[in-house]
């Protein structure tokens, strides 16, 4: 803790809040640094953060919505020390109050209520008596069941762990956290801590992790104290100018009529692009502060421009929102959503479009401290129960610290399971790996057929390959390439169907020739 933080912490709660208000009012910089202070625990009840408030509100509309479950399922091969693993999770829940937090309502507003550390037990489901094939099918059934299992925010711990025992040396770890308590960065923190703790407890050592200086509840108090005065005015001024008035609604051509209420039924399709493509994209647009994320955002926007004919397109994205050093080692829901409004008018070249995307993206980064939930409250868009507010599509390039569970004496591999939930019409989740770009397109199955999404995935790949070598191509030229690819695909499909028909016809003819004709005389 810095000297400034210690001096602020020594003040009474009233003087501390007054000082933070003065600091916030005095400093005109949007990204000013005001330390987060441990609030003391005279009470176990605290205000929620703005992000938690929106998740809580959505849970009130549809209690136990499994689309807010964050799941990590892993296959553990080797000799597992179950007691050490259980002790590790217990220590993590003890360290991070947010995992043992529930939510209550006071005067119509949600509040966090922190429970004391529990005795954490991991349920073990024994599948050893099943045959190998039945074991694997039961694993997938239980994994999908776990992914759909709800949390009761009023009474459940927000971390759930189950072990499936397949044999003495093979287990499946099912881990679920509710989004109101965690984000993608948090999963990395959790995995790193479990790795360290398991190694210590397996050797009967005490925890080697340093004590946490603050907790998520301290961040929630700090956020509400700081987000006022000139800082809030600066943020609101930018976003109201950028998004004020009538925001465009993306009119994607759907395969099915949009339900009257938003649904959360989802599926995903994946795309893997070679490393050479990402390197080519970076080389073609190097300089000028253009990033891979901006290239992908412009490419996705170009597809949406073609599909909808709209020139004013709003796309959402996520930002880690971990600028304060005190919160980088915390589990909690810190991620913020940014709204990127894109202009596709005038038939620009892809490079010119990128310049527009770069400018609006950097401006959004500079004003990222306004919580999305506060922005929705201020803009107060017309409530449409069939759509999420402000944007219906999102693109995320994952840049959270990559973490892998390493448990001594065990080989660990992720367990793939079918994700059946989504919160948006379309969501691209993209990761740049050593092998290349891995992209998953998540979509609402109440709006789109799998074939439609496969077409979108194919178009995205064609578009990226084209702009990687033709940065000066106009949008009209890019769309012409996509139309030709559709025509070519249709011709291929027709030829395939024709070839299949001819093959079947030959088979039928051969069967007719080979089949003896039995006459009445022969009988």
């Amino acid at each position: 803790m810095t000297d400034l933080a210690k001096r602020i912490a020594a003040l009474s709660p009233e003087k501390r809040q007054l000082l933070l208000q003065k600091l916030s009012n005095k400093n005109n910089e949007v990204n000013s640094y005001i330390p987060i202070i441990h609030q003391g625990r005279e009470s176990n009840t605290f205000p929620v953060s703005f992000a938690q408030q929106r998740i809580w509100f959505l849970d009130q509309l549809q209690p136990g919505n499994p689309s807010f479950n964050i799941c990590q399922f892993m296959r553990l091969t080797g000799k597992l020390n179950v007691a050490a693993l259980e002790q590790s999770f217990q220590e993590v829940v003890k360290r991070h109050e947010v995992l043992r937090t529930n939510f209550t309502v006071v005067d119509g507003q949600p509040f966090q209520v922190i429970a004391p550390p529990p005795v954490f037990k991991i349920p073990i489901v024994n599948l050893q008596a099943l045959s190998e094939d039945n074991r694997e099918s039961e694993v997938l059934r239980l994994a999908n069941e776990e992914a759909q299992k709800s949390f009761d925010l009023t009474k459940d711990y927000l971390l759930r762990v189950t072990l499936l025992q397949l044999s003495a040396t093979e287990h499946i770890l099912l881990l679920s956290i509710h989004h109101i308590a965690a984000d993608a960065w948090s999963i990395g923190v959790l995995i790193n801590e479990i790795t360290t703790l398991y190694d210590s407890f397996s050797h009967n050592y005490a925890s080697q992790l340093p004590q946490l200086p603050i907790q998520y509840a301290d961040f929630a108090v700090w956020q509400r104290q700081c987000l006022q005065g000139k800082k809030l005015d600066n943020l609101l001024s930018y976003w109201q100018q950028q998004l004020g008035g009538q925001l465009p609604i993306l009119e994607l051509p759907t395969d099915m009529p949009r339900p009257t209420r938003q649904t959360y039924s989802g599926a995903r399709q994946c795309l893997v692009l070679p490393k050479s493509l990402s390197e080519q994209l970076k080389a073609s647009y190097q300089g000028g502060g253009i990033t891979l994320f901006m290239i992908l955002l412009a490419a996705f926007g170009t597809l949406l421009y073609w599909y909808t004919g709209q020139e004013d397109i709003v796309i959402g994205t996520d930002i880690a929102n971990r600028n304060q050093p005190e919160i980088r080692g915390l589990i909690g829901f810190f991620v913020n959503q940014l709204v990127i409004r894109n202009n596709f008018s005038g038939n620009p070249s892809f490079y010119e479009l990128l310049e527009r995307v770069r400018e609006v993206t950097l401006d959004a980064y500079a004003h990222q401290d306004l919580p999305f939930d506060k922005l929705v409250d201020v803009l107060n868009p017309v409530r449409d129960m069939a759509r999420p507010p402000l944007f219906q599509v999102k693109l995320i390039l994952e840049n959270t610290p990559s973490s892998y569970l390493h448990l001594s004496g065990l080989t660990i591999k992720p367990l793939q399971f079918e994700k059946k939930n989504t919160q948006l019409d379309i969501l691209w989740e993209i990761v740049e790996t050593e092998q290349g770009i891995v992209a998953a397109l998540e979509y609402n199955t109440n709006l789109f057929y799998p074939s439609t999404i496969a077409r979108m995935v194919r178009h995205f790949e064609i578009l990226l390959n084209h702009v990687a070598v033709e940065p000066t191509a106009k949008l009209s030229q890019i769309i012409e390439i996509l139309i030709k690819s559709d025509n070519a695909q249709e011709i291929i499909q027709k030829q395939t169907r024709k070839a299949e028909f001819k093959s079947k016809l030959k088979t039928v003819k051969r069967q007719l020739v080979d089949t003896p004709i039995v006459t009445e005389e022969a009988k």
Side-chain angles (χ1 to χ4, degrees):
M1 187 180 289
T2 64
D3 290 340
L4 176 59
K6 290 178 182 178
R7 289 167 61 189
I8 296 175
L11 297 174
S12 67
E14 294 78 12
K15 289 183 178 180
R16 189 187 308 154
Q17 182 169 355
L18 182 61
L19 175 61
L20 290 174
Q21 288 174 355
K22 287 181 177 179
L23 285 172
S24 183
N25 288 334
K26 181 179 179 181
N27 200 314
N28 289 322
E29 296 296 324
V30 172
N31 292 316
S32 59
Y33 171 71
I34 300 173
I36 305 174
I37 306 303
H38 185 68
Q39 298 293 319
R41 293 297 183 266
E42 293 82 9
S43 168
N44 67 340
T45 303
F46 295 87
V48 297
S49 69
F50 289 106
Q52 283 182 321
Q53 183 169 327
R54 179 153 193 83
I55 295 288
W56 175 86
F57 173 74
L58 293 173
D59 187 75
Q60 299 301 296
L61 292 177
Q62 189 174 355
N65 183 347
S67 69
F68 294 113
N69 291 2
I70 303 174
C71 299
Q72 294 282 305
F73 300 159
M74 289 160 273
R75 186 181 296 269
L76 316 179
T77 305
K79 189 174 181 180
L80 175 64
N81 187 332
V82 176
L85 185 66
E86 198 168 63
Q87 191 178 357
S88 300
F89 276 105
Q90 176 155 332
E91 181 64 18
V92 167
V93 174
K94 178 183 177 182
R95 284 170 55 78
H96 296 274
E97 292 176 348
V98 71
L99 297 177
R100 46 189 168 88
T101 292
N102 294 123
F103 297 85
T104 189
V105 179
V106 179
D107 296 330
Q109 296 299 316
F111 280 82
Q112 303 183 62
V113 180
I114 301 170
V119 175
F120 194 89
K121 292 293 183 182
I122 300 179
I124 300 176
V125 180
N126 193 336
L127 304 179
Q128 295 181 88
L130 300 177
S131 66
E132 184 176 352
D133 289 344
N134 288 340
R135 269 203 313 265
E136 291 304 318
S137 61
E138 183 66 1
V139 163
L140 291 177
R141 188 190 70 80
L142 291 172
N144 288 320
E145 184 179 276
E146 170 60 32
Q148 298 299 310
K149 188 177 178 182
S150 63
F151 285 88
D152 185 336
L153 300 185
T154 66
K155 63 181 182 181
D156 291 345
Y157 289 114
L158 301 179
L159 169 67
R160 192 166 58 223
V161 182
T162 302
L163 266 180
L164 310 181
Q165 185 174 13
L166 279 61
S167 71
T169 57
E170 190 165 16
H171 296 78
I172 303 293
L173 178 68
L174 306 180
L175 186 155
S176 301
I177 307 180
H178 196 282
H179 198 6
I180 203 168
D183 51 25
W185 186 301
S186 300
I187 299 301
V189 173
L190 173 66
I191 287 175
N192 285 334
E193 291 197 357
I194 292 296
T195 297
T196 301
L197 291 167
Y198 182 85
D199 186 60
S200 296
F201 295 149
S202 292
H203 295 88
N204 296 317
Y205 298 149
S207 168
Q208 304 298 308
L209 296 175
Q211 184 177 351
L212 295 171
I214 63 167
Q215 293 285 335
Y216 187 83
D218 302 313
F219 163 78
V221 172
W222 170 88
Q223 184 187 50
R224 290 186 176 273
Q225 289 175 342
C226 289
L227 202 63
Q228 51 191 306
K230 290 185 178 179
K231 179 174 182 176
L232 179 60
D233 292 341
N234 287 340
L235 293 169
L236 287 176
S237 176
Y238 167 78
W239 286 110
Q240 286 176 321
Q241 181 179 3
Q242 183 72 8
L243 305 175
Q246 189 68 34
L247 265 183
I249 296 174
L250 191 66
E251 299 293 352
L252 278 169
T254 60
D255 297 313
M256 292 162 273
R258 185 177 294 272
T260 56
R261 293 180 67 88
Q262 187 180 352
T263 66
Y264 298 93
S265 299
R268 58 171 52 193
Q269 295 188 26
C270 292
L271 171 67
V272 180
L273 300 170
K275 183 72 172 177
S276 57
L277 177 58
S278 59
E279 290 174 347
Q280 179 65 54
L281 286 167
K282 292 175 185 176
S284 297
Y285 302 98
Q286 65 181 351
I290 292 175
T291 65
L292 178 61
F293 170 76
M294 296 172 188
I295 298 170
L296 296 170
L297 184 65
F300 181 37
T302 300
L303 278 188
L304 298 175
Y305 166 68
W306 176 35
Y307 288 168
T308 65
Q310 296 173 243
E311 296 181 342
D312 187 4
I313 293 177
V314 178
I315 300 174
T317 191
D318 286 351
I319 195 159
N321 196 31
R322 299 248 182 177
N323 295 326
Q324 303 293 126
E326 301 95 333
I327 64 178
R328 288 174 188 163
L330 286 184
I331 293 172
F333 184 19
F334 296 98
V335 68
N336 195 20
Q337 297 185 109
L338 298 182
V339 186
I340 312 294
R341 191 170 188 175
N342 303 277
N343 176 11
F344 288 83
S345 64
N347 191 28
S349 70
F350 193 76
Y351 191 86
E352 290 169 339
L353 175 63
L354 267 176
E355 289 294 323
R356 299 179 189 178
V357 170
R358 172 186 173 276
E359 182 179 353
V360 72
T361 301
L362 291 179
D363 282 348
Y365 289 164
H367 299 85
Q368 65 177 276
D369 287 345
L370 185 70
F372 176 77
D373 319 279
K374 183 73 172 176
L375 178 62
V376 173
D377 290 342
V378 171
L379 294 180
N380 193 25
V382 176
R383 182 66 62 187
D384 183 354
M385 298 303 292
R387 293 178 171 87
L390 303 190
F391 59 82
Q392 294 83 52
V393 298
K394 181 189 280 190
L395 183 141
I396 303 170
L397 178 62
E398 293 286 356
N399 59 359
T400 56
S402 57
S403 298
Y404 301 94
L405 188 62
H406 298 285
L407 302 182
S408 178
L410 292 165
T411 300
I412 301 175
K413 294 181 179 180
L415 177 72
Q416 300 300 323
F417 66 100
E418 185 180 358
K419 188 172 182 182
K420 297 181 179 180
N421 305 105
T422 188
Q423 298 173 34
L424 297 161
D425 292 358
I426 295 288
L427 165 62
W428 273 112
E429 288 184 315
I430 302 175
V431 182
E432 188 179 14
T433 70
E434 289 298 320
Q435 291 71 39
I437 295 173
V438 179
L441 182 54
E442 185 177 291
Y443 64 98
N444 190 309
T445 53
N446 292 128
L447 298 176
F448 303 104
Y449 296 139
S451 57
T452 299
I453 298 304
R455 177 174 177 261
M456 182 179 289
V457 170
R458 188 177 74 251
H459 286 159
F460 194 58
E461 181 177 11
I462 293 169
L463 196 157
L464 287 173
N465 276 284
H466 184 67
V467 300
V469 294
E470 295 288 347
T472 60
K474 298 283 189 180
L475 289 193
S476 58
Q477 294 172 320
I478 296 171
I479 290 171
E480 187 177 348
I481 294 293
L482 296 173
I483 292 173
K484 287 181 179 178
S485 75
D486 263 4
N487 292 338
Q489 184 72 17
E490 186 177 350
I491 290 170
I492 290 171
Q493 288 174 347
K494 285 181 178 178
Q495 290 174 338
T496 302
R497 287 195 295 269
K498 189 175 180 181
E500 289 174 350
F501 175 75
K502 285 183 176 179
S503 176
K504 288 179 181 177
L505 187 60
K506 285 182 180 178
T507 302
V508 171
K509 286 181 177 179
R510 189 162 52 248
Q511 289 173 345
L512 288 173
V513 170
D514 294 342
T515 303
I517 300 175
V518 180
T519 65
E520 287 296 324
E521 280 186 25
K523 287 182 182 179

